[in-house]
Structures are given as C-alpha cells and as structure tokens.
C-alpha cells in the first residue's frame, strides 16, 4: 500500500482540523531529554518521523508510552549519549538530539543525519555554534563526536538563520551557567514553540521569534504537559489543494499569521481567503491566475516547504511564473513528474519556469521527497483521469492519513 491512486476532478469541500506541526514536534521530542521528570507531549501527529524520534528515545533507554495521540516520556533512565545509527540515518531531525544530549551528558555521538534528499544539507552551522559554546567536535568515519567539560556561555553568531542550528544551540545552552545570546537566529514559529515548551519546564529563553535569542541558563528543568502548535505546512498544502480543485474549505486549528505569505499569493491568484481567530476559509471559483514570481525565504518569507505544492498550483494557473528556490538547491524532484502529467514546467539552476495549462492528465508518477510527493497528490486531484503516486511513504513522513483527510473533503483517492 505504498501508492496513492487518485481520480481527479472532484472539488475539495468541507471542514478540516489541522494536525499538530511535525517541525515543532520533532525538536520538542528531542528537548524532552533536558528533563528527568515526566514530559507529556499532547496531540503529536501520527507520522513516521515523529514515531521514529520516539523510537530513538526508547532505544537510548527512555520510557515512552503513547496514550492515544499523547506521548508520555520519561528520560530519567536515558544513559546513552549515542544515537542509534540505523534510526538516525532515516531521520535528519535526530540531529536535534545533539544539543540536549550535550546539555545532559556533556558528550554526544551522532552519525551524519539522513532524511529527504533535497540538496546538500550540511550541519556546519550546528557544529560551529556548538564550538562557540566550548564544545570539542571531532568528525571521524562518518560520526561526529562532541564533548565538553563545561558548556561556555556567550555569543553565538549564525552565518545563516538555520532553523535546526538555532534549535540545537538553544537546547545545548539551556542548562549552562550564565547567559547565551544567539545572533542571526532563525525566526520560524516552530522556534517560538520550542522556547515555549522549554520555558514551560522552567527554562528562561527570551526573544524567540526575533533574530536575537537570549538563553539564561537554569540548573534543572522540571516536567511539563505541552501541546505543540498546529502545522502551517499541512494547512498550506490543503489551501493550495482547495485552490487547485476550485473548492471551498474551512481549516480549523490554524494560525493564519503563520501562512500569511501563502495567503497573499492566493489572494493575488484570485482566491477568496478569510481568516478568523483560529480558522481559515478558502474558496476558489475560477481558474487561478499565475503568481508570476515566488521566491522561497526564511520565515516570514515564503516557505521552501510549500514550494513544490505551489509549483503544482502554477502548472494549472493562467499565465507564466518563475519559482526560485533559495534554501535547498535540488528540491525539484516533483518537476519532471509534473511534466509526465502534461505540465509545461522545467528547471534551470535554482529556478522553476512554468507556463500554466488549463488541464493536466493523470499519469504514473513517483514521490521523491515529502513535500514533492504532496505536490503530486494535489496535481492528481486537479488532473483529468487517474494518477498513481508511488513512494507514498515519503508523504507519510509529514502528513497523517493524507488520503483519508482528502477523501473526507470529497476527493476520489485511495491507497493501493
Ligand atoms: C527545517 C525544517 C524543514 C524546512 C527548513 C527550512 C524541521 C524538522 N525541518 O529544516 O522542513 O524545509 O527548516 O525552513 O524543522 N544549512 C547550512 N548549514 C547548516 C544548517 C543549514 O548550510 O549547518 C543550510 C541548509 O543547507 C539550507 C538552509 O541552511 O540551505 C536552511 O536549513 P535549515 O534552516 O537548517 O533547515 P532544517 O533545520 O534542516
């Protein structure tokens, strides 16, 4: 059952509650390592990346119990400082454990991380940030060995506002003696959520969401119950799917501010988008107009995690567009697959050129990564005929039961 089979043409209509954010949950699971008391992470999404992160904790000696969607974690018996290599190679986010393991054990050993292949994803910023905190880093035979006698405080300047590096450094310094300042920190909402989580355990992190984050070290963190934020990328994916199928959908449990860059683009495409406290209503009655130019940027710019879905939308919009990918240089595996569906789309360097066509046709296509796979599913919903998207496991990394949710909104989709 590793494919989605879609018969295109149905409009998405109805209401959908957005799940908890993958990119907030993963570092929060890693952050639980900072406390010896019980941490309850509520409403975690049932996606393979989150379950793998919990497995890593279990294999390192922690107690992890899933009660429905709540993960009850107790790390008091976590003795290991090495992440099991076979699990780590599957999930890049295990790199988030480096910071909390160092804060806890003063040493950590990780293999180079895996995850979706969307371009070279170095971890030099994580490592240089840790070095600024006095951590000795040695790279041997594909492993990174980190050790410190005492975490230093002071200033860490990031050359680029990397989300993962900001999160790792926040977690590494939270139990230090003194104050650490991260300059040129990433400003993504998931960083604000991680700070809220750590502060709910007694941490003292200030300024998350701005480019200067201050971490006042504390002796110990206590247990907590925490519900991470909702998933802005999942919300964005459904918004784009609604626009592509000329649908009408109300999304609940979402923060419109987090997807404002997309809302602006959809407005310009001719969609009606209304926002109310925690919900977004989107309606699209006619063929969307192309956005002409989209560039991915760190938050609050247009997210790279919605680039592929947006390319799918542009393939059926009227007009031409250029989508520039500034974060991950080879994140274009969806482009040749969309072309198999009749799209007039090609890549040159970091740019995707699209001449919109009224209709795509169904085809057998293959997901090459998480968001690219979601883009192909959306294209299948809008295309004429049957589309088979193979390698659905990529999509399962970040979308909980995507097929069931689309089915509930009226799509003709099943697993095969
Ligand atoms: C996180 C998200 C991912 C999203 C990305 C950008 C999670 C689990 N993943 O990934 O979904 O696409 O943010 O919004 O939250 N870089 C370096 N050196 C480093 C680290 C990063 O050069 O040490 C570069 C990367 O190659 C990339 C850019 O910085 O070009 C952004 O990466 P980063 O913000 O670190 O993304 P992730 O944390 O990996």
């Amino acid at each position: 059952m590793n494919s989605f089979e879609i018969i295109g043409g149905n409009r998405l209509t109805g209401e959908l509650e957005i799940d908890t954010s993958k990119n907030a949950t993963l570092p929060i699971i890693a952050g639980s390592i900072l406390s010896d008391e019980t941490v309850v992470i509520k409403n975690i999404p049932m996606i393979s990346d989150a379950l793998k992160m919990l497995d890593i904790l279990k294999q390192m000696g922690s107690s992890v119990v899933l009660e429905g969607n709540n993960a009850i974690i107790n790390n008091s018996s976590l003795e290991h400082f090495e992440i099991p290599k076979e699990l780590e190679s599957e999930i890049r986010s295990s790199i988030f454990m480096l910071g909390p393991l160092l804060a806890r054990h003063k040493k950590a050993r990780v293999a180079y991380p895996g995850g979706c292949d969307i371009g070279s994803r170095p971890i030099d910023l994580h490592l240089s940030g840790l070095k600024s905190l006095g951590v000795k880093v040695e790279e041997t035979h594909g492993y990174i060995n980190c050790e410190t006698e005492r975490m230093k405080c002071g200033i860490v300047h990031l050359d680029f506002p990397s989300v993962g590096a900001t999160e790792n450094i926040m977690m590494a310094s939270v139990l230090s003696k003194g104050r650490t300042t991260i300059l040129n920190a990433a400003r993504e909402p998931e960083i604000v959520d991680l700070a809220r989580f750590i502060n709910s355990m007694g941490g003292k992190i200030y300024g998350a969401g701005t480019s200067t984050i201050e971490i006042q070290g504390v002796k110990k963190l206590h247990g907590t119950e925490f519900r991470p934020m909702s998933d802005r990328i999942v919300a964005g994916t459904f918004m784009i799917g609604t626009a592509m199928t000329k649908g009408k959908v109300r999304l609940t449990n979402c923060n419109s501010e987090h997807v404002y860059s997309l809302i602006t683009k959809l407005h310009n495409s001719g969609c009606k988008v209304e926002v109310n406290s925690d919900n977004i209503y989107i309606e699209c009655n006619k063929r969307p107009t192309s956005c002409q130019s989209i560039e991915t940027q760190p938050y609050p710019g247009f997210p790279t995690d919605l680039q592929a879905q947006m390319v799918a939308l542009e393939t059926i919009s009227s007009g031409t567009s250029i989508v520039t990918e500034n974060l991950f240089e080879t994140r274009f595996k969806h482009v040749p697959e969309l072309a198999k569906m009749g799209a007039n789309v090609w890549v040159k360097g970091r740019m995707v050129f699209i001449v919109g066509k009224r209709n795509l046709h169904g085809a057998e296509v293959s997901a090459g990564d998480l968001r690219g796979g979601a883009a192909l599913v959306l294209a299948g919903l809008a295309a004429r005929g049957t589309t088979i998207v193979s390698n659905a496991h990529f999509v399962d990394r970040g979308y909980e039961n995507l097929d069931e949710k689309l089915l509930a909104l009226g799509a003709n989709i099943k697993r095969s």
Side-chain angles (χ1 to χ4, degrees):
M1 304 291 272
N2 197 22
S3 298
F4 295 111
E5 193 175 321
I6 306 148
I7 301 175
N10 291 9
R11 294 176 177 202
L12 296 186
T13 49
E15 188 168 308
L16 177 75
E17 183 177 341
I18 298 300
D19 294 323
T20 303
S21 159
K22 163 176 104 61
N23 287 354
T25 301
L26 300 179
I28 285 173
I29 293 175
S32 74
I33 292 175
L34 294 165
S35 175
D36 263 347
E37 297 179 16
T38 298
V39 169
V40 180
I41 308 174
K42 293 182 142 181
N43 269 72
I44 65 161
M46 291 295 132
I47 51 174
S48 52
D49 269 18
L51 299 174
K52 276 182 195 153
M53 281 291 274
L54 293 173
D55 261 359
I56 292 179
L57 281 186
K58 267 197 226 166
Q59 289 214 15
M60 290 200 301
S62 300
S63 149
V64 178
V65 178
L66 267 181
E67 272 183 11
N69 278 40
N70 297 340
I72 301 160
I73 303 171
N74 189 296
N75 293 307
S76 52
S77 52
L78 189 153
E79 303 292 347
H80 293 252
F81 59 88
E82 182 172 337
I83 301 173
K85 192 175 181 185
E86 60 291 356
L87 284 172
E88 197 194 343
S89 59
E90 290 177 33
I91 170 169
R92 179 178 163 86
S93 312
S94 51
I95 193 71
F96 295 137
M97 290 184 170
L98 196 55
L101 283 175
L102 272 166
R104 186 184 174 103
H105 295 306
K106 306 282 176 278
K107 58 181 173 179
R109 181 173 151 93
V110 297
Y112 268 98
C116 275
D117 175 16
I118 55 174
S120 74
R121 296 181 84 176
I123 51 167
D124 55 312
L125 297 169
H126 298 241
L127 300 182
S128 65
L130 292 173
K131 282 180 195 163
S132 313
L133 298 175
V135 176
K136 217 170 88 202
V137 178
E138 265 178 23
E139 299 174 56
T140 46
H141 310 295
Y143 280 95
I144 304 157
N145 295 300
C146 297
E147 212 167 335
T148 178
E149 271 169 29
R150 200 170 70 86
M151 206 71 91
K152 266 192 348 203
C153 296
I155 291 181
V156 177
H157 176 270
L158 294 175
D159 273 345
F160 180 85
S162 151
V163 176
T166 303
E167 292 172 335
N168 237 334
I169 292 156
M170 269 164 66
M171 292 191 277
S173 53
V174 98
L175 296 175
S176 310
K177 274 192 188 146
R179 187 174 270 251
T180 303
T181 305
I182 308 176
L183 298 178
N184 200 23
R187 294 178 288 161
E188 269 65 4
E190 291 76 12
I191 287 171
V192 180
D193 220 42
L194 178 63
R196 279 180 48 229
F197 166 70
I198 293 173
N199 290 350
S200 78
M201 298 196 284
K204 292 187 174 163
I205 299 181
Y206 310 101
T210 74
S211 51
T212 303
I213 299 180
E214 304 265 3
I215 302 122
Q216 177 62 49
V218 295
K219 261 204 174 127
K220 190 174 174 301
L221 293 179
H222 54 71
T224 186
E225 276 195 22
F226 189 82
R227 180 179 171 150
M229 60 180 265
S230 78
D231 199 312
R232 63 192 170 103
I233 304 303
V234 171
T237 303
F238 280 98
M239 289 166 72
I240 296 170
T242 307
M244 290 180 73
T245 59
K246 300 199 187 86
K248 292 179 190 186
V249 170
R250 183 172 301 282
L251 301 173
T252 60
N253 184 37
C254 45
N255 184 334
S256 57
E257 205 179 298
H258 294 167
V259 282
Y260 225 89
S261 58
L262 173 64
I263 291 177
T264 307
K265 295 286 176 206
L266 293 176
H267 265 308
N268 295 343
S269 303
C271 301
K272 177 171 155 188
V273 187
E274 287 172 0
V275 298
N276 278 307
S277 54
D278 78 333
N279 65 67
I280 300 175
Y281 175 75
I282 166 153
E283 181 177 330
C284 196
N285 294 317
K286 55 179 174 45
R287 184 180 175 204
T289 314
S290 90
C291 288
Q292 297 174 356
S293 167
I294 300 168
E295 286 214 24
T296 63
Q297 300 285 354
Y299 188 85
F302 193 89
T304 172
D305 286 352
L306 288 175
Q307 176 257 110
Q309 301 89 315
M310 207 60 190
V311 167
L313 171 67
E314 296 306 287
T315 64
I316 56 157
S317 299
S318 60
T320 56
S321 10
I322 299 175
V323 178
T324 309
E325 173 55 64
N326 290 310
L327 279 99
F328 296 110
E329 70 279 8
T330 60
R331 194 172 206 179
F332 299 123
K333 290 197 173 125
H334 45 289
V335 171
E337 302 304 297
L338 288 167
K340 287 182 194 163
M341 300 176 73
N344 201 348
V345 58
W346 67 98
V347 177
K348 194 158 188 222
R350 284 177 170 266
M351 288 191 266
V352 188
F353 295 81
I354 308 142
V355 181
K357 283 177 89 171
R358 191 168 286 278
N359 293 306
L360 301 181
H361 56 74
E364 288 195 19
V365 291
S366 174
D369 59 61
L370 163 58
R371 307 300 172 188
L376 297 175
V377 171
L378 299 187
L381 297 176
R384 286 187 171 161
T386 303
T387 298
I388 312 247
V389 182
S390 59
N391 284 332
H393 64 276
F394 279 119
V395 178
D396 296 333
R397 288 191 40 213
Y399 296 86
E400 182 178 335
N401 299 329
L402 180 63
D403 48 328
E404 286 173 25
K405 292 191 166 89
L406 289 169
L407 192 69
L409 292 174
N412 191 336
I413 180 169
K414 64 176 185 188
R415 288 249 176 189
S416 58

